[in-house]
């Protein structure tokens, strides 16, 4: 199977932090270039735009901005490529993408704990379901 | 192949109970067949009952036949809300779906029959349902939002307008619990403009005898003369009509009718069309008076359609004088009856849902419609904020700014009082649709968001509140007769208009949001009403 072979290829370790940084940028470019294909094969036009996906990718990368160890960066990049491959090969499907990258980490169920302070149990139950 | 064994139960039902001569035996001997004559339809509002009556299942319910097996169904004994009779029904459901509705025996109300509207309206419960709270955006389109946001917006607007500009209308399918919650909520907001559809302006809510079927549905069997004033029981309350039909068959009771031309399935004298005839009877000038005077137990049935008329008070006082003339109200017999149209009406009047001012809609800035689809919204100011709480996307949704989805009668526990004053409870048969909530819960939640929290958190709490206002609503399955009779009312000087009575229900099959959403009811009205 094609994607097994491609994703199994492990590049040599980055020698320096600079090299790892370069590779990260490459990964970002590659990911950005695949967005139109992803949108097309997963039929995402009506739920998300290209720029939204792009910023999701960059924010996923930025989440790891504090890491300086090139080995760790390499490992994360490997996982990134793997994920990208999975998406392009449609090993991940539309709902995975929507769940992970469109709706995002906070999910559909939002955390209202701070807002809910001072309201009665009745109202808390009311917001969650009709049956209580 | 047919399973029919020619027992002719269906034929006897059609001619003896439904009062139509449509079914019969064709052919004789081995060629015998049951059928309607020459491709006629069985045009009775009780036709569905032949399904229950047929011992072998030769007659089947078209929407239900072969859709489910009996043992897959869960039966829930509940109450019908499509008219004011409150027929006892069993809702058979499979999973989330109502599969059929069949009657339950209650000798005092519906005997063992139900009307076709009750039986076949259930497909309306699956169509046009509202399942998410929605807010109308600036572009005029609805957007789903969370309950939190919807309630926050409604509460914000409600707090901005003046208390007397807040108006609430309960729909014809509302249960007593939600109506008392609505009234309490509006009162706490400082407004008392709350009423129930169909009761007209300034309804008489003080004397229960002024809006109930005082001789009770089964009591109608004792009557020997009927005077129907502006009511067409056949389409307004088929089960009451079946009672009258039974009485007419049993003791040849005489029936006089005042109102627009309509169909009866028993012998009936059409005395006239308007208040003029009523006046003639009251003054003893009409030939029908002799029948009325000779009767042992005369019954007058006044239709609730008259409550909407401007000269309602004077009509009622004329009716009162007829009652006095015919000695209709006696200690042992109360024959002055009012036949209500909607399931919510009796309970709403018991709970005192009476508007403070006559034309509150015209000055409303915040209108809360609790399932009310038949209110005239033409007069409503265009900047008014309309909240529609209900289960179907029906008429009022077009004008609504916020939609709060509620549960239908098949999905909630609620108390209804029928036209004879018997309170009964519905039980949930299926779960609610989508993100809908029970009516009273929505109002309770809204009251908290608006900062005027209602003091009840559960059904027993709200029922103990009802017990303060109308304890009779809690005596379930018991008829609470009205104690004081209408004689106490002052005579009214209002002028009687000559305008003839109009019919209160123009399409028997489509009277509320559920039946209007039903495809079967639409087909019934298309094929049955056009024939007339
Ligand atoms: S009730 Fe059923 S079995 Fe009896 S005559 Fe009618 S169709 Fe035939």
């Amino acid at each position: 199977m094609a994607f097994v072979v491609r994703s199994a290829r492990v590049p040599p370790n980055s020698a320096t932090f600079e090299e790892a940084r370069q590779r990260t940028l490459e990964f970002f470019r590659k990911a950005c270039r695949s967005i139109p294909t992803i949108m097309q094969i997963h039929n995402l036009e009506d739920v998300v735009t290209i720029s939204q996906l792009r910023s999701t990718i960059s924010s996923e990368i930025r989440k790891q901005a504090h890491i300086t160890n090139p080995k760790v960066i390499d490992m994360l990049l490997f996982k990134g490529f793997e994920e990208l491959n999975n998406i392009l090969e449609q090993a991940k499907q539309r709902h995975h993408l929507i769940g992970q990258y469109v709706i995002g980490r906070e999910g559909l169920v939002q955390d209202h704990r701070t807002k809910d302070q001072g309201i009665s149990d009745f109202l808390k139950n009311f917001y969650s379901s009709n049956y209580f | 192949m047919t399973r029919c064994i020619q027992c002719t139960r269906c034929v006897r039902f059609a001619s003896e109970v439904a009062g139509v001569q449509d079914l019969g035996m064709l052919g004789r001997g081995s060629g015998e067949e049951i059928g309607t004559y020459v491709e006629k339809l069985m045009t009775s509002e009780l036709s569905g009952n032949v399904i229950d009556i047929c011992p072998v299942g030769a007659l089947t319910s078209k929407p239900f036949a072969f859709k489910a097996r009996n043992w897959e169904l869960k039966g829930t004994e509940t109450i019908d809300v499509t008219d004011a009779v409150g027929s006892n029904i069993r809702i058979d459901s499979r999973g989330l779906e109502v599969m059929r509705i069949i009657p339950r025996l209650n000798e005092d109300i519906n005997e063992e029959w139900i009307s076709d509207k009750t039986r076949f309206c259930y497909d309306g419960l699956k169509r046009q349902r509202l399942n998410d709270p929605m807010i109308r955006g600036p572009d005029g389109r609805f957007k789903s939002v969370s309950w939190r946001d919807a309630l926050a917006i409604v509460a914000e607007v409600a707090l901005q307008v003046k208390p007397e500009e807040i108006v609430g209308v309960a729909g014809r399918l509302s249960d007593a619990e939600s109506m008392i919650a609505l009234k309490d909520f509006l009162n706490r907001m400082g407004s008392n403009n709350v009423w129930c559809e169909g009761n007209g302006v300034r309804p008489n809510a003080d004397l229960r005898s002024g809006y109930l079927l005082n001789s009770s549905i089964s009591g109608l069997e004792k009557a020997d003369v009927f005077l129907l004033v502006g009511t067409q029981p056949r389409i307004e309350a088929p089960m009451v009509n079946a009672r009258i039909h039974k009485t007419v068959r049993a003791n040849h009771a005489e029936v006089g009718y005042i109102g627009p031309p309509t169909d009866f399935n028993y012998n009936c004298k059409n005395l006239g069309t308007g208040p003029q005839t009523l006046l003639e009877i009251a003054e003893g000038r009409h030939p029908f008076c002799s029948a009325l005077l000779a009767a042992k137990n005369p019954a007058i049935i006044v239709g609730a359609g008259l409550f909407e008329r401007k000269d309602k008070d004077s009509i009622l006082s004329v009716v009162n004088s007829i009652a006095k003339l015919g000695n209709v109200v006696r200690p042992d017999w109360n024959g002055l009856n009012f036949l209500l149209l909607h399931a919510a009406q009796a309970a709403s009047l018991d709970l005192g849902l009476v508007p403070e001012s006559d034309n509150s809609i015209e000055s409303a800035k915040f209108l809360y419609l609790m399932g009310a689809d038949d209110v005239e919204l033409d007069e409503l100011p265009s900047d008014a904020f309309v909240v529609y709480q209900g289960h179907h996307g029906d008429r009022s949704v077009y004008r609504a700014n916020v939609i709060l989805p509620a549960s239908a009668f098949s999905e909630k526990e609620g108390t209804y009082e029928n036209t004879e004053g018997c309170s009964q409870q519905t039980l949930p048969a299926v779960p609610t649709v989508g993100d809908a909530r029970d009516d009273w819960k929505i109002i309770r939640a809204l009251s908290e968001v608006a900062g005027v929290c209602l003091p009840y958190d559960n059904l027993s709490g709200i029922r103990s509140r009802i017990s303060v206002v109308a304890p009779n609503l809690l005596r379930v399955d018991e008829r609470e007769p009205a104690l004081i009779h209408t004689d106490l009312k002052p005579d009214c000087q209002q002028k009687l208009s000559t305008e003839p009575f109009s019919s209160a229900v123009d399409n028997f099959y489509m009277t509320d949001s559920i039946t209007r959403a039903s495809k079967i009811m639409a087909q019934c009205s298309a094929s049955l009403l056009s024939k007339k």
Side-chain angles (χ1 to χ4, degrees):
Chain A
M1 281 157 82
F3 71 91
V4 179
V5 179
R6 247 193 280 160
S7 58
R9 178 170 47 92
V10 183
N13 282 351
S14 313
T16 61
F17 175 69
E18 201 39 49
E19 193 182 341
R21 195 182 120 79
Q22 216 51 49
R23 279 189 183 173
T24 311
L25 291 177
E26 233 165 72
F27 167 69
F28 181 58
R29 271 184 221 118
K30 188 160 183 220
C32 287
R33 285 193 198 111
S34 355
I35 289 177
T37 328
I38 294 172
M39 300 271 284
Q40 199 193 4
I41 62 182
H42 292 281
N43 223 347
L44 293 174
E45 281 85 359
D46 47 346
V47 289
V48 76
T49 61
I50 293 186
S51 64
Q52 272 170 344
L53 274 186
R54 206 184 296 130
S55 57
T56 317
I57 297 173
S58 72
S59 74
E60 288 289 311
I61 294 176
R62 269 178 229 280
K63 239 186 246 164
Q64 318 287 1
H66 56 283
I67 293 169
T68 48
N69 186 345
K71 274 191 184 166
V72 177
I73 298 177
D74 278 354
M75 187 271 293
L76 289 171
L77 280 177
F78 178 79
K79 290 177 78 168
F81 272 113
E82 194 180 26
E83 174 81 5
L84 185 60
N85 243 324
N86 284 345
I87 292 169
L88 284 168
E89 301 286 353
Q90 286 181 294
K92 279 208 159 175
Q93 291 174 353
R94 187 167 187 264
H95 64 275
H96 294 118
L97 297 194
I98 293 178
Q100 260 179 300
Y101 301 111
V102 178
I103 293 168
R105 296 264 145 127
E106 70 270 26
L108 279 176
V109 186
Q110 264 144 43
D111 190 4
H112 290 287
R113 233 167 301 162
T114 46
K115 265 205 238 163
D116 275 358
Q117 265 160 12
I119 69 171
S120 70
D121 286 344
F122 177 90
L123 204 53
K124 273 181 211 158
N125 292 333
F126 178 85
Y127 285 144
S128 60
S129 105
N130 188 31
Y131 296 99
F132 53 88
Chain B
M1 195 204 80
T2 167
R3 296 187 237 186
C4 177
I5 52 171
Q6 272 87 31
C7 67
T8 66
R9 280 169 66 120
C10 54
V11 179
R12 283 191 54 204
F13 173 83
S15 57
E16 289 173 23
V17 181
V20 292
Q21 313 293 335
D22 287 351
L23 271 185
M25 184 89 80
L26 311 169
R28 288 296 179 265
S30 58
E32 221 170 60
E33 254 179 54
I34 295 288
T36 54
Y37 306 112
V38 230
E39 295 188 10
K40 251 175 68 177
L41 283 172
M42 186 172 168
T43 53
S44 164
E45 68 290 346
L46 300 178
S47 66
N49 293 301
V50 297
I51 302 160
D52 297 332
I53 256 181
C54 183
V56 293
L59 301 169
T60 50
S61 157
K62 209 167 176 188
F64 174 71
F66 318 118
K67 294 277 191 310
R69 292 285 175 191
N70 234 334
W71 55 85
E72 300 167 335
L73 301 175
K74 184 190 88 176
T76 311
E77 307 210 324
T78 178
I79 300 302
D80 165 52
V81 298
T82 53
D83 54 28
V85 178
S87 304
N88 289 212
I89 55 171
R90 196 179 86 207
I91 296 184
D92 279 349
S93 56
R94 185 176 63 185
L96 309 178
E97 217 182 332
V98 175
M99 297 306 290
R100 67 168 170 186
I101 292 179
I102 50 178
R104 251 183 325 136
L105 184 74
N106 187 333
E107 289 293 356
D108 292 330
I109 296 174
N110 56 323
E111 299 176 273
E112 51 199 303
W113 322 119
I114 50 174
S115 71
D116 285 359
K117 179 163 63 171
T118 310
R119 186 183 297 265
F120 295 122
C121 71
Y122 60 85
D123 74 320
L125 292 169
K126 296 175 217 160
R127 310 166 72 90
Q128 297 265 326
R129 289 299 297 268
L130 302 170
N131 48 12
D132 276 319
M134 282 186 271
I135 296 180
R136 197 190 283 278
D139 56 347
R141 298 176 72 96
F142 280 113
K143 211 169 111 271
S144 325
V145 292
S146 68
W147 272 106
R148 216 174 287 268
D149 300 342
L151 291 187
I153 285 185
V154 173
E156 196 193 311
V157 177
L159 290 173
Q160 275 167 7
V161 301
K162 285 199 224 95
E164 61 275 13
E165 290 167 346
I166 299 179
V167 174
V169 187
R172 37 179 71 169
L173 304 180
S174 311
D175 52 304
E177 284 84 356
S178 56
M179 284 192 287
I180 190 75
L182 180 68
K183 183 169 159 64
D184 282 352
F185 170 57
L186 257 63
N187 288 355
R188 275 168 192 241
M189 296 294 291
S191 154
N192 198 16
N193 282 317
V194 54
W195 70 93
C196 172
E197 281 184 312
N199 284 344
V201 284
R202 263 178 276 141
N204 157 35
D206 302 334
L207 295 167
R208 287 182 86 232
S209 61
Y211 54 87
L212 291 184
L213 199 78
N214 291 311
S215 43
S216 85
I217 297 176
S218 57
L220 286 179
E221 280 176 36
K222 287 199 223 96
D224 44 10
V225 163
F226 289 93
L227 177 61
L228 309 178
V229 183
T231 179
Q232 297 146 301
R234 194 165 177 197
I235 51 176
E236 289 175 15
M239 296 329 304
V240 172
N241 192 56
R243 240 7 127 131
I244 302 176
H245 178 248
K246 189 175 173 187
T247 315
V248 171
R249 267 185 74 88
N251 55 15
H252 301 283
E254 202 171 328
V255 185
Y257 165 72
I258 306 175
T262 179
D263 266 1
F264 280 97
N265 48 5
Y266 37 80
N267 274 339
C268 170
K269 272 200 213 113
N270 199 336
L271 308 177
T273 56
Q276 234 38 54
T277 323
L278 212 54
L279 214 55
E280 280 171 30
I281 299 179
E283 288 161 6
R285 288 186 277 132
H286 200 279
F288 192 74
C289 288
S290 56
L292 206 59
L293 290 175
K296 256 208 344 267
N297 291 327
I300 302 176
I301 302 182
V302 182
L306 300 186
F307 292 176
E308 307 266 14
R309 278 176 70 105
K310 289 219 172 55
D311 55 348
K312 165 197 129 188
D313 289 331
S314 51
I315 291 180
L316 292 187
S317 71
V318 175
V319 170
N320 263 339
S321 51
I322 298 180
K324 258 186 227 137
L325 176 86
N327 203 7
V328 173
V329 183
R330 306 189 301 257
D332 61 324
W333 167 254
N334 186 348
L336 183 53
N337 296 303
F338 295 87
L339 182 56
L340 298 179
L341 293 168
H342 313 304
Q345 264 180 306
S348 75
L349 291 170
D350 268 5
L351 294 172
L353 264 74
V354 178
E356 204 171 41
S357 53
D358 286 354
N359 38 15
S360 37
I361 285 251
E362 282 141 61
S363 57
K365 284 275 155 13
F366 177 87
L367 179 61
Y368 199 97
L369 301 174
M370 194 174 71
D373 285 302
D374 296 84
V375 269
E376 237 358 285
L377 293 182
D378 298 341
E379 317 246 280
L380 189 71
S382 54
D383 60 339
F385 188 85
V386 180
V387 182
Y388 179 74
Q389 166 185 335
H391 37 81
H392 277 78
D394 207 41
R395 292 176 187 168
S396 296
V397 165
Y398 295 112
R399 179 61 184 82
N401 297 83
V402 171
I403 293 177
L404 305 175
S407 44
F409 79 100
S410 55
E411 295 150 12
K412 67 181 169 191
E413 191 178 336
T415 308
Y416 289 88
E417 184 181 356
N418 77 355
T419 180
E420 56 165 0
C422 174
S423 55
Q424 307 180 89
Q425 276 176 4
T426 58
L427 288 176
V430 286
T432 49
V433 173
D435 214 11
R437 303 280 191 270
D438 292 347
D439 284 296
W440 72 267
K441 285 181 186 161
I442 299 175
I443 291 167
R444 160 69 180 74
L446 177 62
S447 73
E448 184 171 337
V449 177
V452 287
C453 192
L454 294 173
Y456 24 74
D457 274 353
N458 46 29
L459 268 180
S460 59
I462 206 164
R463 290 203 174 130
S464 63
R465 167 79 181 107
I466 289 180
S467 73
V468 178
V469 188
N472 59 299
L473 286 173
L474 297 176
R475 282 181 229 120
V476 175
D477 293 334
E478 252 177 62
R479 183 176 118 79
E480 179 89 5
L483 294 176
I484 317 165
H485 300 307
T486 25
D487 287 4
L488 300 176
K489 264 209 310 205
D491 258 359
C492 159
Q493 305 307 325
Q494 206 180 21
K495 221 177 111 44
L496 209 58
S497 87
T498 48
E499 189 192 335
F501 298 139
S502 57
S503 52
V505 177
D506 21 279
N507 181 353
F508 164 64
Y509 293 102
M510 293 175 136
T511 48
D512 49 59
S513 55
I514 298 177
T515 46
R516 277 195 290 260
S518 157
K519 199 174 155 196
I520 301 172
M521 291 293 106
Q523 287 166 346
C524 285
S525 23
S527 60
L528 294 173
L529 299 182
S530 59
K531 293 271 154 53
K532 284 176 188 163

